[in-house]
Amino acid sequence: MQDVKKVFVIGLDSAPPELLFDKLLDKLPNIKKLLENSIYGPMRSCIPAITIPAWMVMATGKTPGELGLYGFRHRKKGTYNDIWIAHSLMVKEKAVWDYLGEVGKKSILVGVPPSYPPKPIKGHLLSCFITPDASVNYTYPKSLKNEIENLVGEYIFDVVFRKDNRDEVKELLWEMTEKRFEVIRYLIQEKEWDYFQFVEIGLDRVHHAFWKYFDENHHLHEPGNKYKDVIPDYYKLLDKEIGKTLKLLDLDETAVAIVSDHGIKAMKGAFAINQWLIDEELLKIKNPEILESGKQLRFEDLDVDWSKTIAWAWGGYYARIFLNVEGREPNGIIKPEDYNKVREEIAEMVKGIRGPNREKWDTKVFYPEDIYPETKGDKPDMMVYLDNLSWRSAGTLGYDSPYLLENDTGPDDAVHSEYGVFSLYVPGMEESREITSTIYDFAPTILKLFGIEKPLRGRSIL
């Protein structure tokens, strides 16, 4: 490790080991060559296995509970459905680049979630996919924005992927990724850096938008469809861009990591969790006739009878279930002394949910205080992986059945899986070694490359 002077981190949002390290590897010559001299393997994500908070868990070595980030949106304390959206200013813990800045090392960050609004670092920063658009300031320092726009024109942070026009989604994905890599190569050459990390969100978007066309086992797969090669072609695009980028690095002094925040797999369907809570008489509404309207309803459309409601939920890749607790919620009815008993009863009911054909599900229920050493912010009372994330949680309702063949908020074919990827090339490494790591091992490993040790949750793989 004495040869390591720089560390370059390639972040591929939602890259699964089954594709990157196995099924598609022979089509990816640049990544394959890198792996021949790397430590690599599946990397277990955090709970929840969601983009926000996972990238910041990776960077800080802290749990979602310690960060107070349980997903994109969070409930405001003392309210039922008043929310705030995750952003960079809510991250109070030090990240890898903060520790490096303390010893004089310079960093460049591109697209690491959540990094909007841009916060000062010792180095340069472009914010991530939660940036509203290119009209706002999205760089640190501010002057960097002009350099970026002189280079590629309007910078693209993300694409709308839940839409029916898949040709348009594909075209924008390619444009976004090509621009991102052009910017990355510019920064490599024009700025001083010791640590460089970027995250390409396009891989996550291509998975969600095109998975049913690619996966022959997906329940909505159409054999011979015209989009069947979009996902492999996007991986080839990434490999080509990564290959051009690696040529700019001195691999005799630069360590190179490839990481993802979580994996991806086929979505079997969505489960209308609030509809189920009503059926189980845990969620009471004053306007039950609205359920007979035949229309898709949002939770906000319900006239909830909070004086009789025990629980309600949010949709997403995992379900968040909240209990209506006396003294905590405005009209809470569960007495604090009954909280554990009631939560345990509901958890058992949730774990007993079966699939549409009465098949047994592998549903997991997590209590935040059991899996985190600290729970900042407004934690959900239960975090639920329906059939181990194979079924998405639909927060909407008003359906003939709680089992939906498709996502309720727009086309989406894939769900997250628990294992992402981790690989690390270190100068001088002459062979590969396969390992299984956790997302908490990333920060200690990167810091060790710079000779820094901190009391973090994970451990260095070196």
Side-chain angles (χ1 to χ4, degrees), residues 11 21 42 57 82 132 141 144 166 223 259 270 365-367 430 439 449 458:
F21 293 159
V57 166
D82 195 4
L144 179 60
R166 304 300 169 100
V259 287
V365 177
F366 305 100
Y367 298 158
E430 295 181 349
I439 198 166
L449 287 168

Side-chain angles (χ1 to χ4, degrees), residues 14-15 33 37 45 71 79 93 114 131 150 182 213 230 246 294 319 337 343 356 360 372 389 391 395 402 445 447:
S14 88
K33 186 177 179 184
N37 300 102
S45 187
T79 71
E93 301 288 344
T131 307
N150 287 336
E182 191 173 348
Y213 303 106
V230 171
L246 291 177
E337 60 267 30
R343 184 167 67 162
K360 192 173 180 182
Y372 308 135
L389 292 171
W391 283 75
T445 301
L447 290 175

Side-chain angles (χ1 to χ4, degrees), residues 245-438:
T245 305
L246 291 177
K247 286 179 181 174
L248 301 177
L249 306 179
D250 182 351
L251 294 181
D252 289 331
E253 63 174 36
T254 306
V256 181
I258 302 176
V259 287
S260 63
D261 51 340
H262 54 78
I264 203 86
K265 60 183 177 181
M267 184 178 82
K268 292 182 179 176
F271 184 73
I273 187 75
N274 278 315
Q275 191 158 322
W276 177 82
L277 287 169
I278 290 173
D279 291 343
E280 296 296 328
E281 300 189 337
L282 295 169
L283 171 56
K284 294 280 191 179
I285 58 175
K286 298 175 182 175
N287 55 341
E289 67 283 356
I290 197 172
L291 298 174
E292 308 300 325
S293 67
K295 298 177 182 175
Q296 177 180 319
L297 305 171
R298 300 171 304 158
F299 183 77
E300 293 76 12
D301 296 324
L302 303 178
D303 185 4
V304 178
D305 185 349
W306 292 109
S307 69
K308 296 177 181 174
T309 286
I310 295 171
W312 79 104
W314 283 3
Y317 292 114
Y318 81 103
R320 283 183 257 188
I321 297 180
F322 303 94
L323 302 189
N324 195 23
V325 182
E326 185 180 289
R328 193 185 73 178
E329 274 68 40
N331 299 296
I333 62 169
I334 300 170
K335 294 190 178 304
E337 60 267 30
D338 295 332
Y339 175 83
N340 288 333
K341 174 175 170 288
V342 172
R343 184 167 67 162
E344 201 62 38
E345 289 173 354
I346 297 173
E348 288 305 311
M349 294 169 70
V350 169
K351 285 187 273 190
I353 295 173
R354 287 180 174 263
N357 299 310
R358 300 296 300 157
E359 71 274 22
K360 192 173 180 182
W361 276 2
D362 180 22
T363 293
K364 295 179 170 64
V365 177
F366 305 100
Y367 298 158
E369 69 273 20
D370 286 352
I371 57 175
Y372 308 135
E374 188 178 0
T375 53
K376 293 179 180 173
D378 199 71
K379 62 182 174 62
D381 294 294
M382 279 182 264
M383 305 166 72
V384 180
Y385 284 6
L386 291 166
D387 197 17
N388 197 22
L389 292 171
S390 289
W391 283 75
R392 183 184 164 90
S393 168
T396 56
L397 63 170
Y399 309 101
D400 293 336
S401 159
Y403 304 97
L404 315 179
L405 287 177
E406 299 193 63
N407 182 40
D408 63 330
T409 57
D412 190 345
D413 310 334
V415 288
H416 295 182
S417 61
E418 203 172 4
Y419 281 88
V421 301
F422 177 84
S423 77
L424 179 63
Y425 159 84
V426 178
M429 196 176 284
E430 295 181 349
E431 58 185 10
S432 66
R433 177 161 60 92
E434 293 191 34
I435 62 162
T436 297
S437 59
T438 83

